[in-house]
């Protein structure tokens, strides 16, 4: 299984970016997917669960991104997206996509702290927001 993120970059506050995560050897339709972010100095287990979507399309978001970020997936193309609007400097981080089984989308956002061996992770894409 290989997850590859793209779409990161540098934008000014108030701008938008759309992240993509393409999977090979994995079927999005039957599992949960999530986006996490990590800032310098944080350990992998401290990655923040930003948004998640379960196999039924139910979503869950970190409070600070609600109304600004939207997670979605294209099961036919095996692509996970994160549309990020009205970006803020505090959104600056490296963003990772992840895949695994979950009880709920809310549960999926805790994968990093669980550090379960069955969770698949991409290599990340950097998002930098300047004021």
């Amino acid at each position: 299984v290989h997850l590859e993120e793209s779409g990161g970059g540098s934008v000014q506050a108030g701008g938008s970016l759309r992240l993509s995560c393409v999977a090979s050897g994995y079927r999005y339709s039957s599992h949960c997917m999530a986006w996490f972010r990590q800032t310098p100095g944080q350990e992998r287990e401290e990655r923040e669960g930003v948004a998640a979507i379960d196999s039924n399309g139910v979503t869950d978001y970190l409070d600070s991104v609600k109304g600004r970020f939207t997670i979605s997936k294209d099961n036919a193309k095996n692509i996970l997206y994160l549309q990020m609007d009205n970006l803020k400097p505090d959104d600056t981080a490296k963003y990772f996509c992840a895949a695994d089984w979950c009880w709920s989308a809310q549960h999926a956002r805790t994968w990093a702290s669980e550090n379960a061996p069955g969770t698949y992770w991409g290599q990340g894409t950097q998002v930098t927001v300047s004021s």
Side-chain angles (χ1 to χ4, degrees):
V1 176
H2 179 71
L3 303 178
E4 185 169 353
E5 304 92 339
S6 62
S10 297
V11 296
Q12 290 189 325
S16 298
L17 286 172
R18 188 175 80 158
L19 305 184
S20 299
C21 176
V22 179
S24 57
Y26 195 83
R27 294 180 61 183
Y28 280 178
S29 61
S30 58
H31 290 78
C32 303
M33 304 292 301
W35 287 98
F36 288 78
R37 63 189 181 189
Q38 183 176 0
T39 55
Q42 284 185 325
E43 299 294 331
R44 175 173 170 155
E45 293 76 15
E46 297 174 297
R47 288 177 181 173
E48 189 171 49
V50 175
I53 185 167
D54 70 12
S55 58
N56 294 315
V58 177
T59 59
D60 191 72
Y61 295 92
L62 182 69
D63 283 347
S64 63
V65 308
K66 285 180 181 177
R68 300 190 297 120
F69 290 12
T70 304
I71 188 172
S72 62
K73 59 179 179 173
D74 185 328
N75 289 332
K77 296 181 179 179
N78 251 15
I79 302 177
L80 178 72
Y81 299 102
L82 184 67
Q83 177 67 41
M84 304 187 295
D85 299 318
N86 191 21
L87 281 160
K88 302 177 180 181
D90 285 349
D91 296 320
T92 295
K94 193 168 188 179
Y95 284 71
F96 298 83
C97 68
D100 200 347
W101 176 89
C102 70
W103 292 106
S104 66
Q106 185 178 28
H107 167 229
R109 292 202 299 109
T110 69
W111 285 339
S113 60
E114 292 182 353
N115 199 24
T119 304
Y120 297 106
W121 294 91
Q123 293 302 306
T125 185
Q126 179 67 35
V127 172
T128 303
V129 185
S130 58
S131 58

